[in-house]
Structure formats: C-alpha cells, structure tokens
Amino acid sequence: MLTLCVLSLEKYYYFCTLIIEKMEILKGDKLLSSAQCQVLRGIAIMGIFLHNFCHLLRGSNEENEFEFIAERAQNMWHYWTGGSIDVFFPIQFLAFFGHYGVPIFLFLSGYGLVLKYERGDALSRQGVWRFLGSHWLKLFKLMILGFVLTVVTFLAFGSSWRGWIDYLIQATMLSNLIPDYSCTPPPYWFFGVMVEMYVIYRLLIFPFYDKRQSKWRWLVPLLLIVLAWLPQVFMEHHHHMLIYVRHNAAIAVLPFCLGVLMARYGLPRLPRWTLAVVAVVSLPLLAVFSLNYQLWLWTPVLVLTGSVAFVKFMESCRGVCYKVVMSPLRYLGVLSSMIFVVHSIPRIPMYRLVLKAHSGLMLIDYAWLALYVVLTLILAWCYKKCIMRKA
C-alpha cells in the first residue's frame, strides 16, 4: 500500500511538472494588463462596499464568509430556484456574494508583487526587514486617517469607548493574530491579512522565484495552498476556530498564490466564446459550490476564473459596450483602495438612524443605497486628494 502511494505521488509530481513546463511558454500578452487589473479592482471594490451595505438590511440573505452555516446557503439556493426572485434580487445577490471581492484583491496583490519584484533584482537588494517595514508603513499611511474617522463615526453613533484598546491594537494591523479580538471597525481586518501575506511572500515564496529553481517556483505556492486548506477541512463544526483562522492568512493563501502562479506562468490564449462560457458558467457553479462546506472552501477559484474571463472577454468587445461597462469599473479600480478605507463612514449613520428600524426590505432601500454610493465616491475622491497632498 505504501509503495502504491509513493508511485501515485511520483506520477502526480511528473504530471504537474509537465503542465508547468507547458505553461512556461505562456508569457507577455497572456498576462493581465494594467488596465485589466484596474477593472478587476473595480469589480472587487464594487462587490465589497455594496455588500457591506446590503447585508445589513433586514430581510437580506446572510453570507458565508468567515464561517459556513448550511442554512444560509440553502436560503440563498431556495431564493434562486424556488420562484421567489423579486425586485430585491440585486440586494440579495450582493448581500450573499459581494464579499467575494476580497479574493480578487488578494489575487491581484500576489500578481502585482511578482510583476514588481521578480522581473529584476529590485527585491534581491532589499532585506527582509526593509521590505516588510516599507509595506507595513505603506498600508499604515493609507489606512490611518480613514481608520480614525471611521472610529470617530462609530463612537458618535452609539459605539462605546470601552473597546478603545481594541481600536489601538487594530491600528497596528496585527490584531488578527489575537484570538477573540474585536473586529471593529469591520473592514480593517483586511489590512492585517495583507501584512501576513507580505511576510509569507517575502520569507517563503520570493526566495524561489529564480527560473533556475523552476520546480520550487510552482511547488511552494501549491504547498502553501494545501497547508492553508488542510486545517479548514476539519473545522466545519468548529465555528469559533474557523472564524479565527479565516480572519488570518488561511483565507488569503489560495487567491494570493493563484495570483503568484498566474504572474509567473501566464494564461493560455482562449477564444472569445470560451471566455464568455467560463464567465457565465462560473456564477451558477459558485452558487452550487456554496451549498457544500468542502466545495465552499474552493469558491474563490470560481470567482477568479469568472472575473478574469469576464474582463478578458469584455476587452475584446470594443465599442459602446466596452465604454459603458469597462470605463466605470476602471474608474472604481483607480479609487478602490480609498473606497475600501472610507466606505464605512457614510454607512454607519444610515444604518443606525434609519435602516436599523426597517422591519424588512423596502423599495426605499434602493434610494438609501444610491445615496450611500454617491457619498462613498465623494469621500473616496476627497481622501485620495488628501493622501496625495500629504505624500
């Protein structure tokens, strides 16, 4: 039995090696362009900041992001297939699926680090501590003003000063590592995960970027994916532990490492019809995968393949369709980091003063959603100007 297992592993290894060798050819135009990356960021931030509004509305479907509750997935499925789709479908869709913008950001982070540091010797001249310190400082400068304004807004609309120590710890972007830490304000947990991914990239992924270490260039990211996935396999009924694990690198390794692999090996050139099929099929598959815990752990793969295929397909559709769809998404992508930092500020008073009192979904919620979008975009634009002036 042991001999059979060893032989099977050897065959699997040689099979993976053969695939990677074929992928070596796929470079240049097989990669995502800067404009395509901005569009993907636009898709990601649109999902995230609209989700964070919609999932607060009473009567909306609860999502499975940090934990898996089968009843939530079943409610989503019944809404889709049981003939109960109504005028609130956009809100229900964003409430359940909008958080999948996070894997897109993580994918682009891994992709961007490879393009920035592995196409020359820039990083090889930069020590570990200098790399980690510069990236921590970059995140801190982006976050801190928005974080302070968000905390002040929380306190002004009902939150208590009793958790002030949690705010201070979260400002260091290290609070994710502390069990039972307070995830308030909610969006800023992502900065802690990004710090962890910078550590993982610099210590575990980058040392094997050289083409002369071709085996390790793909094997290390795949091993990291397995190591992040394996503990979660056994946590379906351990919600407390699962929530803690998924507030850390475990939630990020899969999309991040897929971004690393794509930047190193590229993608095959696919016909337009294939891209369209992949983009369309990914959504119902995402809904199906959301019904089962073990499949749910791999849903980011569907999100990424569907999003990349959509962007690649739309890129080939020049004309009015391209301008109407891609231009706004690209603009959102340019503002995406600013939107992420400030989008809680207008949402908090809306929820505390108005939306919290609603007994269920109402048509007026769309008006509040539109106001929330406008205020968030204005705040993000102002925040960008402020950050650029300080820089």
Side-chain angles (χ1 to χ4, degrees), residues 97-288:
F97 291 110
H99 66 88
Y100 280 111
V102 171
I104 299 176
F105 273 132
L106 292 165
F107 168 82
L108 292 172
S109 297
Y111 181 85
L113 284 173
V114 171
L115 295 187
K116 183 175 182 179
Y117 291 117
E118 297 184 14
R119 300 301 169 94
D121 61 349
L123 188 53
S124 61
R125 298 194 300 267
Q126 193 176 83
V128 173
W129 290 110
R130 184 180 175 187
F131 172 85
L132 297 178
S134 63
H135 281 83
W136 183 93
L137 187 60
K138 181 180 178 181
L139 288 176
F140 183 79
K141 287 179 178 179
L142 170 65
M143 176 200 75
I144 190 59
L145 178 59
F147 179 80
V148 171
L149 293 174
T150 303
V151 169
V152 169
T153 308
F154 261 84
L155 295 173
F157 289 92
S159 293
S160 172
W161 269 107
R162 289 178 296 178
W164 65 271
I165 191 66
D166 291 326
Y167 298 141
L168 291 179
I169 295 173
Q170 194 167 1
T172 67
M173 294 178 286
L174 300 174
S175 60
N176 302 47
L177 299 171
I178 303 172
D180 300 318
Y181 88 104
S182 174
C183 185
T184 303
Y188 293 94
W189 68 273
F190 180 78
F191 288 92
V193 169
M194 279 309 307
V195 171
E196 294 176 26
M197 295 316 300
Y198 285 135
V199 173
I200 290 173
Y201 174 77
R202 185 61 182 87
L203 296 182
L204 301 177
I205 297 176
F206 174 76
F208 303 101
Y209 83 97
D210 198 304
K211 291 180 182 178
R212 290 169 294 183
Q213 302 167 319
S214 58
K215 176 180 72 174
W216 296 103
R217 291 183 74 220
W218 63 266
L219 188 57
V220 169
L222 288 181
L223 286 174
L224 289 172
I225 289 173
V226 172
L227 290 174
W229 159 77
L230 197 56
Q232 298 181 73
V233 170
F234 307 101
M235 293 183 183
E236 179 177 3
H237 304 295
H238 302 277
H239 298 293
H240 183 76
M241 186 181 300
L242 184 63
I243 290 172
Y244 171 72
V245 166
R246 290 178 65 82
H247 270 96
N248 286 280
I251 199 174
V253 166
L254 174 59
F256 185 90
C257 287
L258 289 178
V260 169
L261 290 171
M262 181 175 168
R264 286 179 176 178
Y265 298 105
L267 284 174
R269 184 188 295 276
L270 298 174
R272 283 181 59 187
W273 70 267
T274 306
L275 294 171
V277 169
V278 172
V280 170
V281 169
S282 294
L283 186 56
L285 279 179
L286 177 62
V288 173

Side-chain angles (χ1 to χ4, degrees), residues 41 49 57 66 69 89 95 113 115 118 144-145 179 207 213 238 252 281 300-301 309 312 319 337 344 349 354-355 391:
R41 289 189 185 95
F49 91 100
L57 299 175
F66 302 108
I69 308 295
F89 173 77
L113 284 173
L115 295 187
E118 297 184 14
I144 190 59
L145 178 59
Q213 302 167 319
H238 302 277
V281 169
V301 177
K312 288 282 190 181
S337 58
S344 291
V354 180
L355 302 174

